[in-house]
Amino acid sequence: MNVSTDSSLSSSYRICNNCQKVVVEKEKALIGRHSSSGPSSFIPEDEILEAVDANTELLLVEAYSPCRGLDHLTHVMSLHPHYLKTFLQSQFYLLWMDGPLPLHFRHYIAIMAAARHQCSFLVAMHVQEFYQIGGPVEWLKGLQHAPERLRNLNEINKILAHRPWLITKEHIQKLVKTGENGWSLAELVHAVVLLAHFHGLASFVFGSGINPKGDAQSHDTSFQPVNPCLCDLAEDGSLEPEGVFSSSPKTLDSVSELEALMDRMKRLQEEPEEEEASQEEMATRFERERKESLLVGSGAAFEDKVESTSNLSRFVEDSTFGYQDFARHGEDDLPTFRAQDYSWEDHGFSLVNRLYSDIGLLLDEKFRTVYNLTYYNIASHEGVDTTTLRRAIFNYVHCMYGIRYDDYNYGEVNQLLERSLKVYIKTVTCYPERTTCRIYHSYWRQFRHSEKVHVNLLLMEARIQAELLYALRAITQYMT
């Protein structure tokens, strides 16, 4: 946020240059925390730099990022170097190694995917790489200037980004059987993985408050990211955002919230259910959690749709199409996606690997790495098994997308995920462009920033896997 002093006001006030709201001067410490120049606008720069092994990070980027150096996304993700390696390996393979699609198609698809969520950070990055590999500049004027084959991807791009449960084998058939503009199944799988990857990555960018780097827009100055204003912290219009960085009662209560979470985790691990629940009871618990997710709003204080900015709208068609809850009130016609009927491990993995060699192995390693990633600590506590918490976060994302695991007790979700965390998860996963500094700081106030970045990695990969499950099931149905 840029602020200036107005002599007509008391020296204890400043004016936000972005939105012209008055901001209390005593929030100067908070302004410093809400960085606009470091890797993240949510995380103090010194905390990232202290935690990151620069040598390891540089080696990884040099090996897996041919067109750019250390960017802010890599810096933040470097808080978890073991995961970063699997991420860079899979992304490098998707964008640069031998595959069904030509390089310029890959980066254009990345632009299309990121634009669905108005993620100017990713759009600018791949516009730059599109330039550097010699892609047709005319295409960057907008979708209408791109080849028909790419324009035909718009339908599954918007469905996968916002309501992946709507994709059917008819969508696949339409893309494959369109004459000279048709897609082979191998090309389509490559495109689908790219779309899911960059939809999920947009969630991580917004969820972690990633800032642009100075040269990110060097080739096209129209892709300027919308930096979150400090005023996002006071969406109710108040001058003093309560409970974010202050020592309010809410912040003091965060200690007891942490202890309560620790107790619930310990109880779930040490006291299994007295009786094994029936399949009917397990299904009931899933339906209850799925319907309760309807009551969890996004981080925005209002439900108005965020309008697409003009510089990104050129890559978006049907911009009014957005997320709608899978389990809407009074709608029972959409069947639950049972993971036992079509899972990544038993079905998706083999299909992807068959049509696009080796990407299945890289994706699988990435999913397993983030799901099993642990340092055996939580906030100030050490020697903690966080398995139940990681599983609850991952499965809650899939629950919102209508995916059910028959062997999971969804009662654990309500026991482990507080409402403020559910709001954050739903916002970052379903409406990432609405993410603000306020909701980032509203949950787990005793936790390290690296732990919140770990949450964002789980959300990103859970979302990517959910999109892939729906798309690959549709491809399998088309093939059979």
Side-chain angles (χ1 to χ4, degrees):
M1 166 187 164
N2 298 317
V3 291
S4 59
T5 304
D6 189 329
S7 59
S8 65
L9 295 173
S10 166
S11 60
S12 62
Y13 294 94
R14 291 188 176 190
I15 297 176
C16 172
N17 290 338
N18 291 337
C19 67
Q20 300 304 308
K21 286 184 182 178
V22 179
V23 180
V24 179
E25 175 70 30
K26 68 181 180 181
E27 291 172 3
K28 282 193 292 185
L30 184 143
I31 293 171
R33 293 287 300 275
H34 192 269
S35 167
S36 61
S37 59
S40 167
S41 60
F42 299 168
I43 306 171
E45 184 175 9
D46 55 352
E47 292 194 26
I48 297 174
L49 297 179
E50 287 172 8
V52 170
D53 183 337
N55 291 330
T56 301
E57 183 185 50
L58 184 59
L59 286 173
L60 289 171
V61 172
E62 286 178 346
Y64 299 113
S65 186
C67 283
R68 53 188 168 87
L70 269 64
D71 57 56
H72 287 167
L73 175 64
T74 307
H75 271 300
V76 174
M77 209 175 275
S78 293
L79 291 169
H80 301 280
H82 185 48
Y83 170 82
L84 175 64
K85 181 177 180 180
T86 65
F87 171 84
L88 290 176
Q89 283 176 331
S90 62
Q91 180 168 266
F92 180 79
Y93 191 89
L94 273 174
L95 291 173
W96 301 105
M97 295 295 285
D98 289 342
L101 294 176
L103 295 185
H104 58 298
F105 267 52
R106 303 181 198 191
H107 290 286
Y108 201 83
I109 291 170
I111 293 168
M112 290 173 63
R116 280 306 317 180
H117 286 304
Q118 305 164 43
C119 187
S120 53
F121 175 91
L122 291 176
V123 170
M125 177 180 291
H126 290 280
V127 163
Q128 180 179 4
E129 295 191 344
F130 189 85
Y131 273 116
Q132 289 179 335
I133 62 175
V137 178
E138 183 76 9
W139 296 9
L140 297 178
K141 293 180 179 179
L143 277 178
Q144 68 272 25
H145 297 277
E148 185 177 342
R149 289 184 72 214
L150 284 169
R151 296 201 304 272
N152 290 343
L153 280 181
N154 179 66
E155 186 72 9
I156 65 166
N157 181 25
K158 73 176 187 181
I159 291 175
L160 285 176
H162 306 295
R163 305 175 210 170
W165 51 86
L166 296 181
I167 194 166
T168 66
K169 65 179 181 181
E170 284 72 30
H171 291 108
I172 306 304
Q173 182 176 15
K174 185 177 179 181
L175 285 167
V176 173
K177 294 186 175 180
T178 51
E180 62 181 12
N181 293 310
W183 292 73
S184 71
L185 286 175
E187 291 172 328
L188 186 56
V189 165
H190 194 170
V192 162
V193 175
L194 282 165
L195 291 172
H197 176 84
F198 284 100
H199 294 154
L201 195 54
S203 284
F204 182 84
V205 167
F206 283 112
S208 301
I210 303 297
N211 280 324
K213 202 163 184 178
D215 60 353
Q217 287 81 29
S218 59
H219 289 284
D220 191 337
T221 57
S222 65
F223 298 109
Q224 296 295 337
V226 180
N227 288 323
C229 221
L230 177 63
C231 301
D232 286 336
L233 296 170
E235 291 161 337
D236 59 357
S238 65
L239 292 176
E240 300 183 66
E242 181 184 0
V244 180
F245 297 107
S246 64
S247 58
S248 67
K250 290 183 180 180
T251 303
L252 297 176
D253 287 345
S254 65
V255 178
S256 58
E257 289 171 0
L258 172 60
E259 297 306 322
L261 173 60
M262 293 290 297
D263 288 342
R264 289 192 295 271
M265 289 173 59
K266 186 176 181 180
R267 190 165 57 249
L268 285 172
Q269 291 162 357
E270 295 180 352
E271 301 176 9
E273 287 188 283
E274 296 179 4
E275 297 181 10
E276 186 174 343
S278 65
Q279 283 298 310
E280 291 76 13
E281 174 61 22
M282 297 288 268
T284 298
R285 292 174 184 176
F286 170 80
E287 291 300 326
R288 185 184 303 127
E289 187 58 47
R290 188 178 75 166
K291 290 178 180 177
E292 284 183 4
S293 72
L294 287 168
L295 305 176
V296 177
S298 74
F302 48 85
E303 290 301 315
D304 296 338
K305 191 172 296 295
V306 180
E307 292 298 327
S308 178
T309 52
S310 59
N311 53 356
L312 299 183
S313 62
R314 70 183 78 168
F315 301 117
V316 177
E317 292 179 0
D318 195 4
S319 61
T320 60
F321 187 92
Y323 175 82
Q324 288 184 355
D325 289 299
F326 178 86
R328 292 178 67 85
H329 295 293
E331 292 186 7
D332 298 316
D333 55 333
L334 290 172
T336 296
F337 187 120
R338 296 179 70 250
Q340 276 62 27
D341 296 334
Y342 197 95
S343 68
W344 166 255
E345 294 80 4
D346 297 331
H347 305 90
F349 170 80
S350 59
L351 177 64
V352 168
N353 242 27
R354 178 153 54 96
L355 293 173
Y356 181 16
S357 179
D358 292 335
I359 192 60
L361 291 168
L362 293 168
L363 288 171
D364 192 63
E365 183 182 4
K366 188 158 60 84
F367 292 149
R368 291 179 185 274
T369 297
V370 77
Y371 193 83
N372 296 317
L373 186 64
T374 183
Y375 303 93
Y376 299 101
N377 55 43
I378 188 168
S380 58
H381 296 265
E382 296 183 355
V384 180
D385 182 356
T386 60
T387 302
T388 55
L389 185 57
R390 285 179 277 119
R391 184 171 59 214
I393 292 170
F394 199 92
N395 287 355
Y396 183 60
V397 173
H398 281 198
C399 179
M400 290 191 299
Y401 281 88
I403 299 172
R404 172 190 158 207
Y405 295 87
D406 287 349
D407 57 352
Y408 180 67
N409 175 13
Y410 285 87
E412 293 186 8
V413 170
N414 268 340
Q415 294 184 63
L416 296 175
L417 307 186
E418 60 185 72
R419 181 171 178 80
S420 59
L421 175 53
K422 285 185 174 181
V423 169
Y424 179 79
I425 289 173
K426 187 168 185 177
T427 305
V428 171
T429 305
C430 306
Y431 315 94
E433 59 274 16
R434 295 183 182 180
T435 307
T436 65
C437 190
R438 182 179 187 175
I439 64 165
Y440 173 86
H441 288 285
S442 70
Y443 81 96
W444 284 7
R445 286 162 288 180
Q446 291 291 316
F447 285 61
R448 303 178 183 92
H449 287 290
S450 62
E451 291 169 315
K452 292 192 172 189
V453 171
H454 188 180
V455 170
N456 288 335
L457 295 176
L458 283 165
L459 302 184
M460 173 175 68
E461 295 299 345
R463 177 183 178 178
I464 290 172
Q465 190 177 104
E467 289 190 27
L468 288 178
L469 284 173
Y470 278 108
L472 296 174
R473 184 182 66 168
I475 292 173
T476 299
Q477 290 171 343
Y478 166 77
M479 292 172 65
T480 56

